[in-house]
Amino acid sequence: MSISRWEPFKEMMTLREAMDRLFEDSFVRPSRFFREAAGTYLPLDVYTTNDAVVIRASVPGVKPDDVEITIEGDTVTIRGEIKAPQEEGTFLLQEQRYGPFSRSIELALPVQADKAEAKFENGVLTLTIPKAEEIKPRVIKVKSA
């Protein structure tokens, strides 16, 4: 075991390194905070069943009439706005997200947009879009001769 001299300034980050890190974190790969602050972040759960693609989005406080769903080809877009409550007083802490939101997702498989159904229950939007007939699994019965 050897003894070495402690140099506190050696371990400190230079100002240039700190600025490089700040710009990289802010512009090169924006964090979730910046996406949410821009009002465009909408967390989704997307899964498939044998017959459909199901998209679930949590949108608490939004009325069903205030949500717009568009399906163009295999791209689904969900738009809306979470309105801020008209509270009197000064906030001590405000973590709820308010403002417009929009999220587009490409499904990468053909769907039947005209048969899509949307349900709104307890602040959760569930969109069910049937798969196109040509990609649904088919069961072929084997007949004996």
Side-chain angles (χ1 to χ4, degrees):
M1 179 155 131
S2 65
I3 297 176
S4 62
R5 176 180 231 165
W6 179 58
E7 296 178 23
F9 294 107
K10 182 179 179 183
E11 296 180 23
M12 292 181 72
M13 188 182 306
T14 66
L15 178 60
R16 180 180 175 145
E17 290 170 334
M19 293 301 290
D20 287 346
R21 187 173 179 186
L22 173 70
F23 281 111
E24 182 179 329
D25 288 347
S26 299
F27 299 110
V28 177
R29 49 185 167 85
S31 68
R32 180 176 172 186
F33 170 77
F34 289 110
R35 288 193 310 262
E36 287 181 9
T40 60
Y41 187 73
L42 177 66
L44 299 176
D45 290 339
V46 181
Y47 61 93
T48 62
T49 63
N50 287 338
D51 299 326
V53 175
V54 181
I55 300 172
R56 288 183 23 196
S58 179
V59 285
V62 177
K63 296 176 184 160
D65 295 337
D66 294 339
V67 176
E68 176 186 308
I69 301 169
T70 309
I71 303 174
E72 293 182 34
D74 65 347
T75 302
V76 178
T77 303
I78 302 172
R79 287 187 183 93
E81 182 175 359
I82 299 173
K83 294 184 171 70
Q86 301 299 322
E87 301 289 335
E88 291 185 24
T90 305
F91 282 100
L92 298 176
L93 177 67
Q94 186 176 19
E95 295 181 339
Q96 298 293 323
R97 184 177 56 85
Y98 301 107
F101 60 84
S102 176
R103 181 80 186 266
S104 293
I105 185 165
E106 193 171 323
L107 299 176
L109 52 98
V111 292
Q112 298 178 23
D114 55 334
K115 295 184 181 177
E117 294 181 2
K119 267 190 344 186
F120 207 88
E121 186 176 334
N122 297 328
V124 177
L125 171 68
T126 303
L127 177 63
T128 305
I129 312 166
K131 292 180 182 177
E133 291 295 326
E134 62 266 13
I135 66 162
K136 286 185 182 177
R138 299 183 199 273
V139 177
I140 301 169
K141 297 280 186 178
V142 179
K143 297 178 185 177
S144 61

